[in-house]
Amino acid sequence: MIADYTHHYSLRVLSAEEAARGICEWEWLTDDVLRLDVAEHCANDVSYFPFDELVEALVLALSRDCEVGQLCESGLPQVPLVADAAGALAVQTSELREVRAGGQAMPPSGVVPFKGFSNYACPFAFLADRLETAYPIFRSFYCRHLCRLHTISDHPETLLSLCALFEQLVVSTAPRAAQHLQFVLDSSPLRYAFHWIVTGFVGSLPAEEVLQLWDRVLGFDSVALVPILAAAIVALRSKLILAARRPEEVQLVFSDISCVKAIPLLQSFLFAHELGADANWRTEHGSVLSAALAAKKAALVAPILEAKASIGEHDVGALSRLFRGEGPASTDTVEILLQPQGDCNA
């Protein structure tokens, strides 16, 4: 089976039609893992359960796409599993950049699924109702951005650097809360925010908030907005953290963030001075006064100002139009982010 599949699909990108056909023609060891993950996360989520069949098809199609590993801008998220022509599995050594001759990555994409992997496909069910339309958008966005959220490497804007950015921002903008977690509760802010960062807030925020956040990720061309939003949520609820006396109480504080409005909170956190935010917020949280946040803000905004990139405000179709090559939307992203939208909700 492996030899036949390699002959048909190796070293070329699957079209949407081939991806759909491959789901029926080929069965892989990881298929049951992905189906179980969809049933656990997508089918039990009030926002995504009507789309569980499409989400399942998306992740199964991605697992069969032999070019995904090469298209990922940060490289393969992990060392791939390789099977020889006889079907024997082995871990690909890190010294070998290419799959051994006659071998096949398992699954063919080289991306080994993990708990919650199907979360990445859930928001794309709102962009199209057919696999042939949704899959190219999902694959492009995954290879360009989402793969970084679970890639452990020294490449910039992969999981390690994103977690480091989050910790720097929490320490600089909510120092008392960070110290309380570390010295009183013997815990860490990253313990509560790691899931948000890895999943891009899918399953934690409502679908419309996730799509608006990912619109900004697309406009800024940076997943750094994900840990920045995570740090903003920790800073927003720092008083509740200070009132906690046990780690379980902190877990309860962050167990439900569905009422958080992602974009207004990001605006208040990144652009407090430009938006004329309340002085208490700036005094208590430091906001843009920290060097780490100021540097990241400059790195994010400068390319946008220079390139005049634009996507639609609250327009989930911007993702679809951009990847289809139909041109950008009409609203300037910088104007959106600098426009006051009132106080952010806890």
Side-chain angles (χ1 to χ4, degrees):
M1 184 190 77
I2 292 175
D4 293 340
Y5 186 90
T6 304
H7 173 73
H8 283 290
Y9 297 119
S10 183
L11 298 180
R12 64 190 182 92
V13 180
L14 269 68
S15 68
E17 291 77 10
E18 288 175 332
R21 188 167 61 250
I23 295 175
C24 301
E25 292 180 353
W26 307 98
E27 189 75 17
W28 293 92
L29 292 175
T30 54
D31 288 355
D32 288 340
V33 176
L34 289 169
R35 292 189 180 102
L36 181 62
D37 193 67
V38 171
E40 182 178 350
H41 294 89
C42 176
N44 290 325
D45 192 295
V46 295
S47 297
Y48 305 115
F49 77 89
F51 313 111
D52 58 341
E53 292 183 359
L54 177 58
V55 171
E56 179 181 305
L58 285 171
V59 293
L60 290 177
L62 187 76
S63 71
R64 285 157 166 73
D65 197 328
C66 298
E67 283 290 296
V68 166
Q70 299 181 33
L71 292 174
C72 289
E73 295 190 0
S74 57
L76 267 176
Q78 76 288 306
V79 177
L81 295 174
V82 177
D84 57 26
L89 277 175
V91 176
Q92 181 79 7
T93 59
S94 57
E95 290 81 7
L96 298 177
R97 300 298 181 184
E98 303 294 338
V99 175
R100 293 191 300 266
Q104 172 66 48
M106 297 286 288
S109 66
V111 179
V112 180
F114 58 90
K115 182 180 175 64
F117 182 80
S118 60
N119 282 320
Y120 294 142
C122 289
F124 293 92
F126 285 91
L127 303 183
D129 57 359
R130 298 182 59 199
L131 176 65
E132 292 78 7
T133 305
Y135 178 67
I137 306 170
F138 171 50
R139 178 179 59 189
S140 299
F141 195 76
Y142 174 82
C143 293
R144 186 173 180 179
H145 297 297
L146 296 179
C147 65
R148 298 178 180 273
L149 300 180
H150 64 104
T151 298
I152 302 177
S153 76
D154 57 355
H155 286 277
E157 291 200 7
T158 52
L159 185 57
L160 293 180
S161 63
L162 295 175
C163 290
L165 174 62
F166 166 79
E167 291 182 323
Q168 291 173 4
L169 294 179
V170 170
V171 169
S172 60
T173 59
R176 293 179 58 200
Q179 291 174 1
H180 183 75
L181 283 172
Q182 181 177 358
F183 298 111
V184 178
L185 302 179
D186 192 24
S187 185
S188 165
L190 188 59
R191 173 182 177 183
Y192 308 99
F194 186 77
H195 177 71
W196 302 340
I197 296 173
V198 172
T199 61
F201 284 96
V202 179
S204 300
L205 292 177
E208 60 269 21
E209 296 297 324
V210 173
L211 287 166
Q212 289 178 29
L213 173 64
W214 287 11
D215 254 356
R216 272 62 181 186
V217 168
L218 196 61
F220 280 123
D221 195 22
S222 173
V223 292
L225 286 174
V226 176
I228 291 175
L229 177 59
I233 294 174
V234 172
L236 182 67
R237 299 193 171 177
S238 58
K239 290 184 178 180
L240 297 176
I241 296 175
L242 292 172
R245 292 296 175 262
R246 295 181 302 166
E248 292 79 9
E249 295 177 5
V250 181
Q251 186 68 51
L252 185 61
V253 168
F254 296 118
S255 61
D256 182 9
I257 60 169
S258 59
C259 59
V260 169
K261 301 300 181 183
I263 304 309
L265 181 56
L266 271 175
Q267 291 173 341
S268 297
F269 195 69
L270 282 169
F271 304 106
H273 289 280
E274 292 91 332
L275 296 176
D278 183 80
N280 291 332
W281 172 274
R282 296 198 300 265
T283 301
E284 292 180 8
H285 302 96
S287 194
V288 295
L289 297 178
S290 72
L293 188 54
K296 181 53 66 176
K297 173 189 171 183
L300 287 171
V301 174
I304 303 275
L305 292 173
E306 187 175 323
K308 299 294 184 182
S310 38
I311 57 174
E313 180 180 19
H314 309 310
D315 182 7
V316 297
L319 285 168
S320 178
R321 288 200 301 276
L322 183 60
F323 282 121
R324 288 175 183 170
E326 297 176 8
S330 59
T331 308
D332 192 337
T333 303
V334 178
E335 293 177 358
I336 296 172
L337 289 172
L338 291 178
Q339 179 181 359
Q341 292 188 4
D343 295 334
C344 55
N345 298 325

